[in-house]
Amino acid sequence: MDCRSESATTGEGRFRVNANRKLLDVWLLVRCVSCDRTSKLTVHERMPVRSFDPVELEGYYANDPKLVAARLLDPLLARRNRFTLDWTGAWRLDTPSAWLDGPWPFQAQVVFEDSVPVRPDNLIAQGLGLSRNEVLRRVKCDLPLRRPTTAGFTFTVMAWDYREGSRGA
């Protein structure tokens, strides 16, 4: 990014493909969150056209949304282009109203608006205002809490146990 904010969104999620004889350059166009300028993230640089999978190459030309998402979630692309994504509003945590005063245990749901790679323990801790250790002790879920997921899920929060010596929620 030109303004060095290192935070961007995809805007409309478009690729730019430039062929120079038998070599191909592919960039992903992104919009800077701070200054609203469009920048290019290098996806492929000076690659022989024959080295591309034809379906992938057609996806670049067609601006395939699934290919845009796959490239943005690629940690090597992020590291190489020195950027992070702004995931504001990408997920929502639905809890029962007045969950602190309600009956225990209670069930909650996480809904993703965008395919965001996030660790459930971090997301739940942030959403409920608990420590990650408390989340690991009190939350029951069908998926691993410490492994990133990009799909919505449901979890159950167990009551605080005074014998554990943890502070209450």
Side-chain angles (χ1 to χ4, degrees), residues 47-62:
M47 295 273 302
V49 175
R50 286 184 282 169
S51 68
F52 284 91
D53 173 19
V55 174
E56 179 184 22
L57 187 57
E58 180 56 36
Y60 289 132
Y61 282 117

Side-chain angles (χ1 to χ4, degrees), residues 1-2 28-32 37-41:
M1 280 11 94
D2 295 331
L28 178 59
L29 302 178
V30 295
R31 192 180 73 243
C32 177
R37 292 164 106 184
T38 300
S39 296
K40 300 184 296 187
L41 301 178

Side-chain angles (χ1 to χ4, degrees), residues 73-88:
L73 297 176
D74 181 358
L76 294 175
L77 180 72
R79 193 171 22 252
R80 186 171 53 234
N81 287 281
R82 293 184 207 97
F83 77 91
T84 57
L85 293 174
D86 180 10
W87 295 115
T88 304

Side-chain angles (χ1 to χ4, degrees), residues 2-16:
D2 295 331
C3 74
R4 298 180 172 206
S5 76
E6 296 181 356
S7 186
T9 62
T10 59
E12 296 177 13
R14 302 185 65 79
F15 289 105
R16 181 167 180 204

Side-chain angles (χ1 to χ4, degrees), residues 14-114:
R14 302 185 65 79
F15 289 105
R16 181 167 180 204
V17 182
N18 184 26
N20 183 4
R21 299 188 187 178
K22 295 181 181 181
L23 300 177
L24 202 66
D25 293 311
V26 179
W27 298 282
L28 178 59
L29 302 178
V30 295
R31 192 180 73 243
C32 177
V33 172
S34 297
C35 68
D36 205 33
R37 292 164 106 184
T38 300
S39 296
K40 300 184 296 187
L41 301 178
T42 302
V43 178
H44 297 288
E45 192 170 34
R46 303 261 182 232
M47 295 273 302
V49 175
R50 286 184 282 169
S51 68
F52 284 91
D53 173 19
V55 174
E56 179 184 22
L57 187 57
E58 180 56 36
Y60 289 132
Y61 282 117
N63 295 309
D64 179 19
K66 289 181 182 178
L67 190 56
V68 169
R71 292 302 165 257
L72 282 174
L73 297 176
D74 181 358
L76 294 175
L77 180 72
R79 193 171 22 252
R80 186 171 53 234
N81 287 281
R82 293 184 207 97
F83 77 91
T84 57
L85 293 174
D86 180 10
W87 295 115
T88 304
W91 58 270
R92 185 179 76 243
L93 177 62
D94 296 330
T95 60
S97 58
W99 66 272
L100 281 172
D101 300 324
W104 294 88
F106 73 88
Q107 197 167 44
Q109 180 179 17
V110 174
V111 178
F112 286 91
E113 304 299 329
D114 291 316

